[in-house]
Amino acid sequence: MEPVDRHQLEADASFDGGDLDCGNGLLLLIRQHMDPMEGGQLLEFRSTEISVEEDFPAWCRMTGNELVSFVRRGKERSFLVCKGRLAERPKARRVSRAALAPVTRQAVTVTIPAALPAPEAAPAVRPLSVMGIGSWPRPRWMLQAIHEHLEGRLGDAEFEATGDDAVRLAVDAQLRAGVDVVSDGEQRRDNYASFVGGRLDNCQLIPLIDLLPFVDDPEKFEREMRSLDVPASEVRHPALLGPWAGAGRWPATSTHFFGH
């Protein structure tokens, strides 16, 4: 995209990214500001880092967000991006700028317990018992609740209530089938890494596609992400934003990833 003299549309929210590049915290800031927004709303951010001109359009293509316009004034660049497609904008519900406060997490002090609790007693499982292993199919509304909760638009109480409803359906189905050992069907779990990472201090879940700045072959990475059976923007990956279990102290602006 070629730069223009000025943005033709007014942003619903904006922030200054300074000299951060996409692999050093800028994408986290973009996510924090975009998560509370609705489809069709516009975010404007400023950056003095030249690599953002190449990395950010690639991120937009992979996430399905539309880069509307780009302004360059000396060393500073201003990007106007739409959450989703710009065609959705006329349908977007207008909210005040105050309601678009970014979803942020502050680093907290990590406390390591001196001892772990004793394991809970469990009944013995008879030989040849029938049980489910892994996730039970989730209702569409449960998948939506997981996504909304990860983006900070659904509170913990509402998410837990929705999860309870999904678990009841999964348990009832297992009982009707005569299963010997029933489970909750892992209704609340997003994936293996995010389920654990979401319970760690100073760990934030980010979409897998935000790893784009860290790969050696961005085009190959884009192709691999598009080949997934689940949209890459919905697969969350843990990122550390502070000390983790005494493993060392990192600046709150640094981003460290761990894999599955």
Side-chain angles (χ1 to χ4, degrees):
M1 173 180 288
E2 294 297 322
V4 296
D5 293 334
R6 58 183 295 273
H7 299 303
Q8 297 300 311
L9 299 175
E10 182 182 358
D12 296 292
S14 63
F15 75 94
D16 189 346
D19 61 355
L20 292 175
D21 59 35
C22 289
N24 193 32
L26 181 60
L27 290 183
L28 287 178
L29 290 176
I30 293 171
R31 284 287 181 187
Q32 289 172 354
H33 284 79
M34 289 189 74
D35 279 350
M37 303 178 84
E38 295 188 351
Q41 291 190 309
L42 301 176
L43 171 69
E44 183 261 342
F45 72 90
R46 297 170 296 283
S47 173
T48 58
E49 169 56 44
I50 188 172
S51 65
V52 179
E53 284 191 28
E54 181 177 351
D55 291 342
F56 185 64
W59 180 86
C60 289
R61 290 194 301 270
M62 294 180 64
T63 58
N65 297 306
E66 185 172 347
L67 179 56
V68 178
S69 53
F70 154 49
V71 175
R72 185 194 297 138
R73 295 190 183 94
K75 292 184 178 181
E76 185 174 85
R77 296 152 183 85
S78 173
F79 298 84
L80 186 67
V81 58
C82 178
K83 182 171 184 177
R85 311 309 300 174
L86 190 60
E88 301 175 35
R89 185 162 178 76
K91 307 173 188 175
R93 180 174 61 87
R94 296 291 182 261
V95 297
S96 66
R97 286 175 178 259
L100 293 175
V103 179
T104 59
R105 291 186 61 179
Q106 299 296 323
V108 299
T109 302
V110 175
T111 302
I112 303 175
L116 296 176
E120 289 289 334
V125 178
R126 295 177 302 172
L128 302 180
S129 293
V130 176
M131 67 183 73
I133 301 296
S135 300
W136 193 262
R138 298 177 181 87
R140 184 177 297 276
W141 43 265
M142 186 62 207
L143 291 173
Q144 182 66 26
I146 292 174
H147 184 70
E148 295 286 329
H149 186 245
L150 287 172
E151 291 199 344
R153 294 198 297 269
L154 184 66
D156 291 341
E158 294 86 352
F159 176 70
E160 292 301 326
T162 304
D164 288 344
D165 291 338
V167 168
R168 291 189 189 96
L169 292 176
V171 170
D172 288 345
Q174 292 171 75
L175 293 176
R176 290 196 303 270
V179 170
D180 297 304
V181 180
V182 300
S183 73
D184 67 353
E186 300 180 348
Q187 294 295 294
R188 293 177 173 86
R189 197 192 78 183
D190 178 36
N191 61 59
Y192 289 105
S194 66
F195 185 74
V196 175
R199 285 155 177 76
L200 298 176
D201 290 333
N202 299 322
C203 186
Q204 181 171 331
L205 301 178
I206 65 170
L208 192 60
I209 48 181
D210 286 6
L211 299 181
L212 176 67
F214 299 94
V215 302
D216 296 327
D217 190 340
E219 291 185 1
K220 180 181 178 182
F221 183 72
E222 284 191 52
R223 292 194 300 271
E224 291 175 346
M225 292 300 99
R226 292 195 183 96
S227 68
L228 297 176
D229 56 351
V230 177
S233 60
E234 296 182 12
V235 179
R236 296 279 171 152
H237 193 85
L240 298 176
L241 67 146
W244 172 60
R249 292 193 172 275
W250 302 310
T253 55
S254 294
T255 305
H256 302 263
F257 303 97
F258 58 90
H260 297 255

